[in-house]
Amino acid sequence: MWLVLTLLLPLSLSLGYKVEPGCDDWTLDPSSSSQVCCNKCKPGNRLVSQCGSNTKALCEPCENGTYAATLTALFCKRCTECISPLRMKKPCNAYTDTVCECVQGFLCGDKSCSFCIQECGKGEEPTENRGCRPCPAGTFNSQIHHHCVNWSSSCPSPDQQITAPGTAFSDIVCADRKPTMPTPDVKPKPGIMLVMAIICACLIISSAMPLCVAMFFKKEKTEKKPPKPVETPVAGRRLVPEPEQCSFCFPQEERGSHSSLLLDDKPFELVV
Ligand SMILES: *[C@@H]1O[C@H](CO)[C@@H](O)[C@H](O)[C@H]1NC(C)=O
Ligand SMILES: *[C@@H]1O[C@H](CO)[C@@H](O)[C@H](O)[C@H]1NC(C)=O
């Protein structure tokens, strides 16, 4: 209820229907004792005639849609219409013109907001013809409706270095030289090399393994063929390679050491 009243009261006043007619401040006409002259009309009135016998007739309220800009205005002015992109902020009343504002994306072009200009975003700047243009090369603007400024030519501190170039929206980016910058540059390389080394090792092992296994079984066969006296298992055991004895993969090492192994190496060499 109170809300409705508080909304309606200023509305009816602002429309100017309650404008009191007449002169507000008058003096006796020095040239005629029967007349008065109006110095100031009541707000919302225009001055019809400066001097007269009836103070109420000297001033006249402005008609709907017009307003008296001053207390001595001879004519009422037509209320301004807010035409898009202008829109009404406060309606006209008998003594104040309409107040306009600009719709979103536009800004008032002058103090009284008689026209709008396009609001320029980040990365661009206003032009003289009320438009916008992108920031020229080497400049940036990170604010709404501001002029582009030059990128910094260097970092603020000599301990810093440029880590990102400037854009239309932002200046160059600087960071401290020492602590973290060199490490990420170097670290990935050993990591990659380590991975590659592991992969190589795996490849070598996986390719050598079947050969070793083949060798192992081949030997076992040849050792088992001869009859089994008690002494031979001793010799045989010596000859049977343990699984990790991958040295058999490299026959050159074996040749000089055991003549018995040399014989077994031959088929292996053919396979290779
Ligand atoms: C102004 O408009 C109001 C409401 O529409 C009306 O009552 C009043 O008579 C009008 N005044 C003039 C001078 O046209
Ligand atoms: C911006 O840069 C231009 C060209 O490099 C130069 O002529 C101009 O003076 C600079 N403006 C400012 C404010 O530093």
Side-chain angles (χ1 to χ4, degrees), residues 10 35 78 98 176 201:
Q35 288 195 357
R78 190 160 294 283
T98 322
D176 287 346

Side-chain angles (χ1 to χ4, degrees), residues 138-139 149-151:
T139 69
V149 294
N150 286 352
W151 292 335

Side-chain angles (χ1 to χ4, degrees), residues 166-189:
T167 69
F169 303 89
S170 60
D171 199 1
I172 56 166
V173 178
C174 293
D176 287 346
R177 233 180 257 277
K178 292 165 200 169
T180 45
M181 278 321 290
T183 21
D185 264 359
V186 181
K187 254 184 183 172
K189 282 173 187 169

